[in-house]
């Protein structure tokens, strides 16, 4: 028989297909939730936020607000018919403050009115009596008072105390990295529409429709099947719409329940930044023992996070930080402790990297300090501590590193940029320039993929094939601009061997795929792609049986290719076979399911295999600092990123670039500043500085690692991409430290915290000069 033609379909896997909403994004035709026309009678909502960081709520008086024009309802904690608890992990986290307001911006009440202006005006008329209490605002104060939102976590191996005592050399130090606002372009928003009887339909800008479903059901006292949550797209999320979106959707649903009318709640940027959580700031303290070659023999580290007023996702963030505190390095004797400190600030939450950036920030401070103390190149000390192959290959939490390619990744980087020559150019510049100093540093990354909580590593999908050959796809993942929908469409197109334009992805809905996990942990394509592939495979097998009967050949000889179905030199169009299946009463619909294999985790013991595999990357960055003003510029960034066998190189390239720039912002310009009363001073674009076009390095090159398929059986051997490149930006922080170190004794580690504002750089410069005098 003649083999099927070897034509490539349009838009299958490994094709650089544009984002499925790309045209809509640039023309404005892509509809976000606030763009969707509402039905007549829809009400607008506004929040009443606490002006105090810590205060007892003595009374709430709605009389003046309810008398205002257009006002239809007002609610506080006492008006909630169900359970006022939307905690994603623990318990006792109210949607509306109940008895005590615990941060400036804490939602205390909400108003629904005919128009947005009326709702916001009425919110200012709500009279609340507060008894102000002393707040706790810093990690240090929380540590001193023993205030935590969750129990301490620990990962330990070996005998750290004796190993430290026996080490030839020892250093102690600390490092701090700040928080970061998600600053998604589309703010928090939800539209709740009451249905028949007790049903509630919620349209939400959320990464986690199932969590919104559960939160709304708890607040209203309903079973989960009475609440349906839909998400078509988000205008950015970055973790900020994982748990935080439930607050907004829950309050909208409460007002809709009370008025029996649709209610939309959308936050203004200032309110959004004050009321919703951010990346966790960390205080990191360490003591390290090492030999004269720079090999670490013992390490004792404390990771203390500012969790804010409630636990939220902090326990999971701490766990992931500890699981990334090794980065690429074998630590024979190690104790890692994680504390989620309670403060009277907004509850910090998920953010791209989910503790991984802070974990790596800490260990890189240690490696840099060791290298400087020994006057060895940073890359030399790193190489001597890298995980090995067949030896020194087990993490502190007991997982064997079986896919180690970090030395290959670093070699690819060096081969592309010639690090030795680059370093000599930096040194020559610094000798000739007394005021402006340059720095150069590299950053290796090993980032684990999977949720630490094993239960969450599952996904579902729903696929229909219609009689014209077009395909409808639904899955549990959400689209927030990252390109998930087009990747899953490519997977299904590849499975059926049809052009990707024939596959349409519909809005994520709890009514179609139930019990979903958040689109987070960089696992969206891994899990939902495999679930969609499972569903497509089931339909394809049925179609193959029909084709085999039609052509009179065994099903094993049926080949799907080039939008057709072949049996030797005979073929049918895919659409013809679809109609034939329908006529023969063969189902063209299937659910699909996937659960990540091999993983397990014991959080109490701090042991297990929490990750299915690791993603690797490396960066080299050059910066310049002005030692008189503290101004800094990132001049050049060279990145090598491991994507496995990329499903969509164009999407993966964009994700790598975007993640790096977001990491750059975290470490340089994005400063969150609170005053002594706990008021956030940086709550809008006028005071909170995200990276702009001039902050992106003028020389910015990204290379996707070639010929590196995932060793694990992921969807078409691809790897996750959403989070890992963010940590490559730590090279910028290390390069700035390198520039500061050029001013004094090279054995001294610069005291430079992040974000590296001009004030902090100047302080680091002065400190380096003083210690070197």
């Amino acid at each position: 028989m003649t083999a099927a033609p070897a034509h490539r379909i349009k838009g299958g896997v490994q094709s650089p297909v544009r984002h499925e909403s790309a045209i809509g994004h640039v023309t404005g035709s892509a509809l976000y939730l606030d763009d969707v026309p509402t039905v007549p009678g829809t009400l607008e909502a506004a929040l009443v936020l606490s002006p105090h960081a810590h205060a007892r709520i003595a009374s709430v008086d709605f009389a003046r607000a309810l008398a205002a024009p257009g006002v239809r309802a007002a609610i506080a904690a006492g008006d909630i018919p169900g359970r006022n608890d939307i905690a994603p992990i623990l318990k006792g986290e109210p949607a509306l403050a109940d008895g005590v307001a615990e941060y400036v911006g804490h939602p205390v009440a909400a108003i629904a009115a005919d128009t947005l202006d009326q709702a916001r005006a009425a919110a200012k008329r709500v009279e609340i009596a507060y008894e102000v209490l002393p707040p706790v605002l810093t990690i240090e104060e929380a540590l001193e008072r023993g205030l935590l939102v969750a129990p301490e976590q620990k990962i330990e191996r070996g005998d750290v105390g004796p190993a430290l005592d026996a080490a030839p050399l020892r250093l102690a130090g600390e490092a701090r990295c700040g928080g970061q606002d998600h600053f998604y372009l589309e703010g928090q928003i939800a539209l709740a529409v009451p249905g028949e009887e007790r049903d509630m339909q919620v349209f939400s800008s959320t990464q986690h429709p199932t969590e919104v479903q559960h939160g709304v059901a708890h607040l209203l006292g309903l079973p989960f099947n009475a609440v349906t949550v839909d998400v078509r797209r988000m205008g950015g999320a970055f973790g900020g719409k994982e748990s935080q979106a439930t607050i907004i959707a829950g309050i909208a649903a409460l007002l809709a329940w009370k008025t029996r009318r649709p209610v939309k709640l959308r936050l203004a940027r200032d309110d959004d930044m004050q009321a919703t959580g951010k990346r966790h700031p960390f205080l990191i303290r360490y003591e390290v023992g090492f030999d004269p070659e720079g090999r670490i023999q013992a390490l004792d580290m404390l990771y203390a996070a500012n969790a804010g007023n409630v636990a939220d996702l902090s326990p999971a963030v701490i766990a992931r930080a500890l699981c990334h505190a090794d980065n690429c390095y074998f630590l024979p004797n190690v104790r890692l402790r994680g504390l989620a400190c309670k403060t009277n600030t907004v509850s910090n939450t998920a953010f791209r990297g989910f503790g991984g950036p802070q974990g790596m920030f800490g260990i890189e401070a240690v490696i840099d300090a060791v290298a400087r103390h020994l006057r060895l190149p940073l890359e030399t000390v790193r190489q001597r501590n890298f995980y090995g192959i067949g030896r020194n290959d087990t993490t502190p939490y007991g997982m064997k590193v079986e896919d180690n390619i970090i030395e290959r990744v670093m070699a690819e980087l060096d081969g592309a940029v010639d690090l030795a020559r680059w370093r000599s150019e930096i040194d020559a510049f610094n000798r000739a320039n007394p005021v402006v100093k340059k720095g150069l540093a590299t950053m290796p990354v090993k980032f684990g993929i999977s949720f630490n909580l094993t239960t969450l590593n599952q996904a579902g999908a729903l696929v229909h094939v219609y009689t014209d050959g077009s395909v409808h796809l639904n899955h549990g993942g959400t689209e927030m601009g990252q390109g998930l929908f087009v990747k899953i469409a490519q997977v299904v197109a590849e499975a059926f061997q049809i052009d990707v334009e024939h596959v349409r992805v519909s809005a994520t809905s709890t009514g179609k795929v139930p019990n979903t996990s958040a689109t987070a942990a960089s696992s969206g394509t891994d899990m939902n792609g495999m679930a969609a592939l499972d569903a497509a495979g089931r339909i394809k097998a049925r179609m193959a049986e029909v084709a085999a009967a039609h052509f009179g050949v065994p099903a094993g000889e049926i080949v799907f290719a080039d939008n057709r179905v072949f049996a030797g030199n005979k073929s049918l169009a895919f659409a013809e076979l679809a109609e034939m299946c329908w006529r023969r009463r063969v189902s063209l619909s299937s659910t699909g399911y996937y659960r990540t294999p091999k993983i397990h985790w014991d959080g109490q013991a701090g042991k297990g295999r929490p990750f299915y595999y690791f993603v690797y990357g490396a960066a080299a960055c050059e910066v310049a600092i002005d030692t008189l003003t503290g101004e800094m510029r990132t001049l050049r960034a060279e990145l090598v990123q491991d994507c496995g066998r990329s499903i969509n190189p164009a999407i993966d390239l964009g994700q790598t670039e975007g993640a790096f720039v977001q990491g750059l912002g975290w470490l340089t310009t994005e400063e969150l500043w609170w005053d002594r009363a706990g008021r956030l001073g940086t709550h809008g674009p006028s005071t909170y500085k995200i990276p702009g076009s001039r902050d992106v390095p003028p020389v910015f090159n990204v290379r996707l690692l070639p010929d590196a398929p995932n060793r694990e059986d992921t969807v078409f051997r691809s790897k996750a991409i959403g989070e890992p490149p963010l940590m490559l930006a730590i090279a910028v922080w290390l390069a700035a430290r390198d520039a500061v170190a050029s001013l004094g004794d090279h054995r001294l580690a610069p005291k430079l915290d992040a974000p590296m504002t001009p004030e902090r750089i100047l302080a680091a410069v002065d400190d380096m000069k003083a210690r070197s005098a």
Side-chain angles (χ1 to χ4, degrees):
M1 290 186 177
T2 305
H7 299 161
R8 280 290 294 166
I9 57 172
K10 296 177 181 177
V13 297
Q14 300 167 39
S15 301
V17 181
R18 69 186 178 201
H19 192 286
E20 48 91 27
S21 297
I23 294 175
H25 289 159
V26 298
T27 62
S29 61
L31 296 179
Y32 294 89
L33 187 47
D34 206 27
D35 300 323
V36 178
T38 54
V39 300
T42 298
L43 301 176
E44 299 276 359
L47 298 179
V48 181
L49 305 178
S50 169
H52 305 291
H54 194 197
R56 187 168 289 110
I57 302 170
S59 64
V60 179
D61 187 349
F62 288 125
R64 292 183 65 242
L66 290 171
V71 174
R72 304 297 175 182
I75 58 169
D79 300 300
I80 295 174
R83 180 156 46 95
N84 186 15
D85 190 352
I86 54 170
I89 296 179
L90 302 180
K91 293 181 179 179
E93 300 179 20
L96 290 170
D98 191 358
V100 179
E102 293 203 281
Y103 67 96
V104 174
H106 201 161
V108 177
I111 301 290
D114 293 338
T115 70
L116 182 59
D117 287 344
Q118 289 174 335
R120 290 177 175 174
K124 296 177 182 178
R125 295 167 65 95
V126 176
E127 297 178 346
I128 303 175
Y130 293 100
E131 178 188 338
V132 178
L133 304 171
V136 173
L137 300 175
T138 67
I139 295 175
E140 290 86 348
E141 187 176 358
L143 287 173
E144 184 179 340
R145 297 176 57 178
L147 299 176
L148 303 177
V149 298
E152 176 183 329
Q153 297 183 56
K154 184 183 294 186
I155 292 175
E156 192 166 8
R157 174 170 62 191
D159 204 344
V160 176
L164 277 172
D165 292 339
L169 299 166
R170 291 172 71 166
L171 288 173
E174 69 176 35
R176 300 166 186 266
C177 52
Q180 184 178 23
D181 191 85
H182 303 87
F183 216 90
Y184 24 64
L185 290 180
E186 176 203 35
Q188 298 278 359
I189 182 170
L191 172 65
V193 182
E196 294 182 1
E197 298 180 352
R198 300 186 300 167
D199 287 356
M200 185 66 68
Q201 175 83 41
V202 179
F203 300 91
S204 173
S205 183
T206 178
Q207 297 171 243
H208 201 342
T210 292
E211 186 169 307
V212 169
Q213 178 192 39
H214 292 179
V216 169
H218 290 153
L219 291 168
L220 297 181
L222 298 175
F224 296 158
N225 67 0
V227 180
T228 302
V229 179
D230 284 0
V231 188
R232 173 56 186 92
R233 62 169 59 85
M234 288 165 275
F238 312 114
K241 297 177 180 177
E242 186 172 340
S243 64
Q244 302 294 287
T246 306
I247 303 170
I248 309 308
I251 294 172
L254 285 166
L255 289 165
W257 165 82
K258 186 162 187 176
T259 61
R260 302 308 302 170
R261 290 169 64 173
V263 173
K264 180 190 287 187
L265 174 57
R266 48 180 164 167
L267 299 191
R269 179 66 63 181
D270 290 288
D271 289 345
D272 195 319
M273 293 185 72
Q274 293 180 79
T276 64
K278 313 180 190 313
R279 188 187 295 282
H280 292 69
F282 269 67
L283 167 61
I284 303 160
R285 292 172 176 162
Y286 66 84
E287 186 170 6
V288 60
F290 53 100
D291 67 19
E293 300 296 311
R295 293 181 181 88
I296 293 176
Q297 297 185 348
L299 178 63
D300 193 358
M301 295 190 79
L302 170 68
Y303 283 86
N306 184 340
N309 66 298
V310 293
D312 196 310
L313 294 169
S314 295
V317 170
I318 292 286
R320 206 165 180 89
L322 298 185
C323 285
H324 286 87
D326 59 331
N327 193 12
C328 300
Y329 313 114
F330 177 72
L331 306 172
N333 299 282
V334 58
R335 179 166 53 234
L336 305 169
R337 297 170 54 221
L339 300 176
C341 299
K342 179 180 173 66
T343 63
N344 293 113
T345 58
V346 64
S347 171
N348 290 311
T349 188
F351 201 125
R352 196 177 199 170
F354 204 83
Q358 298 96 319
M360 292 188 196
F361 184 92
I363 189 62
E364 292 303 327
V366 172
I367 294 289
D368 186 56
V370 169
R372 295 195 181 283
H373 184 80
L374 296 172
R375 295 190 176 181
L376 290 173
L378 180 58
E379 288 72 29
T380 298
V381 173
R382 282 206 181 110
Q383 197 277 332
R384 290 173 180 172
N385 286 283
F386 275 157
Y387 281 110
I389 297 175
R391 63 174 185 83
N392 295 345
D393 58 0
T394 303
T395 67
Y397 45 90
M399 178 177 172
K400 188 172 182 180
V401 182
E402 300 173 323
D403 58 3
N404 187 356
I405 57 171
I406 191 57
E407 296 212 36
R408 181 199 162 184
V409 172
M410 290 296 292
E412 291 268 349
L413 177 65
D414 193 10
V417 303
D418 191 348
L419 288 169
R421 185 180 67 180
W422 194 354
R423 166 55 67 187
S424 66
E425 292 170 353
I426 295 290
D427 291 343
F429 178 91
N430 286 341
R431 286 193 296 269
N433 291 272
V435 174
V436 175
K437 296 294 183 180
K438 287 186 175 182
L440 170 65
T442 58
M443 175 66 191
V445 165
K446 173 184 67 67
F447 188 82
I449 302 299
S450 293
F451 291 97
N452 273 60
L453 180 60
T454 305
T455 301
L456 299 177
N457 294 284
Q458 58 178 305
L462 176 64
V463 174
H464 307 313
V465 176
Y466 296 105
T467 55
D468 65 350
S470 63
V471 176
H472 174 102
L473 165 63
N474 193 272
H475 57 82
T478 56
E479 176 59 56
M480 60 196 88
Q482 83 279 38
L484 175 64
F485 274 23
V486 71
K487 280 190 170 184
I488 309 300
Q490 287 178 267
V491 167
V492 172
E494 188 75 22
F496 287 125
Q497 283 295 295
I498 58 176
D499 294 343
V500 73
E501 65 187 33
H502 299 311
V503 182
R504 185 170 187 82
V505 188
S506 61
T508 309
S509 175
T510 58
K512 290 184 178 180
V513 177
N515 309 319
T516 59
S517 296
T519 304
S522 301
S523 61
T525 300
D526 280 5
M527 297 200 306
N528 294 288
M530 288 296 269
L533 189 62
D534 179 51
R538 294 173 187 274
I539 299 170
K540 184 178 178 181
R542 297 179 207 142
M543 296 180 75
E545 292 287 349
V546 173
H550 174 74
F551 290 121
V553 300
E557 294 184 12
I558 298 299
V559 176
F560 288 69
D562 195 28
N563 296 286
R564 300 187 68 81
V565 183
F566 292 85
N569 58 3
K570 299 177 182 179
S571 70
L572 283 171
F574 182 82
E576 291 178 286
L577 179 57
E579 184 171 2
M580 184 182 294
C581 290
W582 173 72
R583 291 187 181 278
R584 297 188 183 185
R585 298 186 296 175
V586 173
S587 173
L588 292 172
S589 177
S590 180
T591 59
Y593 180 76
Y594 176 73
R595 49 182 280 175
T596 307
K598 299 185 177 182
I599 55 175
H600 55 91
W601 178 245
D602 183 341
Q604 291 293 322
K607 299 293 181 183
R609 176 176 177 162
F611 308 124
Y612 189 25
Y613 62 89
F614 294 102
V615 174
Y616 298 85
C621 294
E622 175 185 335
V623 306
I625 65 170
D626 186 323
T627 60
L628 299 181
T629 67
E631 181 183 13
M632 189 193 82
R633 289 287 182 269
T634 305
L635 303 177
R636 182 182 175 189
E638 303 282 349
L639 279 57
V640 174
Q641 182 61 48
D642 164 33
C643 299
R645 184 175 288 140
S646 175
I647 289 176
N648 188 320
I651 294 293
D652 288 351
L653 181 65
Q655 284 290 290
T656 303
E657 293 171 342
F660 177 85
V661 172
Q662 191 165 52
L664 178 70
W666 167 52
L667 294 163
T668 57
T669 63
E670 297 187 45
E671 183 180 28
L672 293 164
W673 183 86
W674 279 267
D675 67 15
R676 294 181 179 179
R679 294 182 293 255
L680 179 64
T682 50
H683 52 77
S686 63
T687 52
Y688 185 79
K689 176 67 170 64
I690 64 171
S693 59
R694 294 184 180 181
D695 297 303
V696 176
V699 179
F700 188 15
N701 297 308
V702 177
R703 301 165 182 85
L704 302 184
L705 187 69
D707 303 319
N710 198 334
R711 299 186 188 186
E712 297 295 347
D713 188 18
T714 54
V715 58
F716 294 105
R717 300 286 174 172
S718 63
K719 283 190 174 184
I721 192 61
E723 294 171 299
L726 186 141
M727 282 137 287
L728 296 176
I730 294 175
V732 174
W733 175 63
L734 294 169
R737 287 166 63 94
D738 186 59
V740 172
S742 71
L743 292 162
D745 184 347
H746 286 268
R747 288 170 54 91
L748 299 176
K751 295 182 178 179
L752 179 58
D753 296 329
M756 298 177 289
T757 60
E759 295 89 344
R760 288 197 176 98
I761 290 175
L762 278 178
V765 166
D766 290 345
D767 175 79
M768 178 57 69
K769 290 179 179 179
R771 287 192 291 150
S772 301

